[in-house]
Amino acid sequence: MKGLKQFRVKPGRAVRLAEIDPAWTGGFKDKDEAREALRRNIERMSKLQYRLYAQKKYALLIVLQGMDASGKDGTIRQVMSGLNPQSCCVKAFKEPTPEELDHDFLWRIHRVAPARGEIGIFNRSHYEDVLVVRVHDLVPRAVWRRRYDQIQAFERILAANDVIILKFFLHISRAEQRRRLEERLTDPSKNWKVAPSDFKERKFWGAYQRAYEEAMTRCSTRRAPWFVIPADHKWFRNWAVSQVIVETLESLRMKFPKPVLTGREKLE
Ligand code: AMP
Ligand code: MG
């Protein structure tokens, strides 16, 4: 499928979210076609994960960010459904605990970064410290301002130590967020998902979009790229995320380690 590359944020290029259509669906004829492509990607991911685990050279870090109801949980549930839990770890970052607040903001992140051979999935991440923290002045401006450079330095360290980093911004429209929040209010199986804070945060939509734009503009690098994923259509979002992961893992050309034994040994 052509066109996905355009959502990779080129280092140094300013992101303007208003210019990216959240309802874009690429060249797919319909959602069935995309679902079939997703199914194939899930199978490929499973095989690639097996190699990643066997080779134990690289780790893969997948960062998921987006507004409330943008589909971070759904992406994990659907796109990662073929992964072997043995070498995969999901970490959700909530409001920092008092202990976490007593450390630098990257402390809680670095300690759960994936090890060689593993896939780590972050549901929210260190970026919250230049997003919610910035929008609500949770620390002085001078403090969060410095964090863009600190994040770049941190991700450079990970990348230099064989962590492959992919960062996804699930881009939904304000209207789509409203639909999803309303559904959470009316559907009894979704009630639990909705928090008063979701309605409060919605009022800060513009401030969040600007914070995301700056974070992605300043922290999309060759080794730790950001991708803006059109996410109004869940089926497209799922396929797009899976496609980036598969293409990235395939580009590593991972091989199974050389056998320790010759294969000619006799079993008793
Ligand atoms: P949810 O992802 O819906 O479970 O919500 C988690 C909440 O924790 C969100 O409102 C985040 O903005 C918030 N959160 C995550 N990280 C931080 C942080 N570093 N500082 C403040 N709030 C955060
Ligand atoms: Mg929430």
Side-chain angles (χ1 to χ4, degrees):
M1 153 92 40
K2 287 190 204 81
L4 199 57
K5 277 208 178 69
Q6 63 182 301
F7 299 116
R8 182 180 173 123
V9 177
K10 293 190 189 64
R13 263 267 291 284
V15 180
R16 269 187 258 290
L17 288 173
E19 292 171 5
I20 304 174
D21 179 9
W24 198 73
T25 55
F28 285 112
K29 200 165 75 239
D30 54 25
K31 61 169 104 168
D32 288 341
E33 195 184 38
R35 287 205 177 114
E36 178 51 28
L38 171 66
R39 196 191 55 73
R40 284 196 303 271
N41 276 349
I42 288 174
E43 273 175 21
R44 284 158 84 191
M45 267 167 72
S46 163
K47 294 206 171 81
L48 288 159
Q49 179 194 22
Y50 189 64
R51 279 175 188 250
L52 189 88
Y53 184 61
Q55 196 186 32
K56 245 186 190 300
K57 172 172 166 54
Y58 300 110
L60 173 64
L61 173 61
I62 297 168
V63 170
L64 293 171
Q65 287 283 168
M67 303 294 287
D68 290 314
S70 61
K72 301 182 287 294
D73 301 70
T75 301
I76 295 172
R77 198 168 58 243
Q78 291 159 53
V79 179
M80 314 301 170
S81 59
L83 295 181
N84 176 353
Q86 169 122 293
S87 62
C88 172
C89 180
V90 182
K91 182 80 185 110
F93 294 96
K94 312 277 176 183
E95 276 181 43
T97 64
E99 189 192 17
E100 288 170 346
L101 283 174
D102 283 344
H103 290 270
D104 72 88
F105 77 105
L106 292 165
W107 179 76
R108 67 174 182 161
I109 309 291
H110 203 168
R111 63 210 296 253
V112 294
R116 293 179 201 281
E118 287 181 0
I119 298 179
I121 300 160
F122 284 1
N123 185 339
R124 303 186 188 270
S125 65
H126 43 302
Y127 282 92
E128 291 294 321
D129 290 282
V130 288
L131 295 166
V132 63
V133 169
R134 162 180 162 149
V135 169
H136 292 297
D137 299 311
L138 300 182
V139 299
R141 181 183 166 85
V143 173
W144 60 255
R145 277 258 146 236
R146 286 197 289 271
R147 289 182 173 165
Y148 299 103
D149 288 341
Q150 292 167 358
I151 289 174
Q152 270 207 36
F154 169 63
E155 293 179 353
R156 204 158 46 232
I157 293 171
L158 294 185
N161 287 279
D162 299 318
V163 182
I164 310 300
I165 307 171
L166 296 174
K167 301 176 292 193
F168 296 101
F169 171 64
L170 307 182
H171 181 38
I172 56 166
S173 62
R174 200 157 185 255
E176 178 62 19
Q177 189 199 46
R178 166 187 271 274
R179 270 193 292 282
R180 294 187 188 179
L181 290 179
E182 272 169 356
E183 202 184 337
R184 288 180 180 190
L185 283 175
T186 49
D187 179 342
S189 75
K190 291 187 177 167
N191 275 173
W192 65 275
K193 271 193 173 188
V194 72
S197 67
D198 294 344
F199 291 85
K200 199 185 96 217
E201 291 308 292
R202 201 176 140 73
K203 299 203 177 76
F204 296 92
W205 183 272
Y208 270 107
Q209 299 283 300
R210 283 192 297 280
Y212 269 111
E213 286 177 338
E214 181 157 10
M216 292 194 280
T217 299
R218 295 197 53 183
C219 301
S220 193
T221 57
R222 200 175 66 79
R223 300 288 297 274
W226 268 107
F227 295 85
V228 179
I229 302 291
D232 271 5
H233 298 284
K234 296 172 183 176
W235 51 268
F236 181 79
R237 169 203 80 201
N238 289 341
W239 171 81
V241 171
S242 73
Q243 183 66 17
V244 172
I245 295 172
V246 164
E247 282 181 14
T248 303
L249 289 177
E250 283 182 345
S251 74
L252 298 176
R253 306 191 181 287
M254 292 181 285
K255 295 198 173 56
F256 290 113
K258 286 213 169 59
V260 186
L261 302 174
T262 61
R264 274 180 271 114
E265 288 80 2
K266 289 261 174 327
L267 287 172
E268 291 288 308

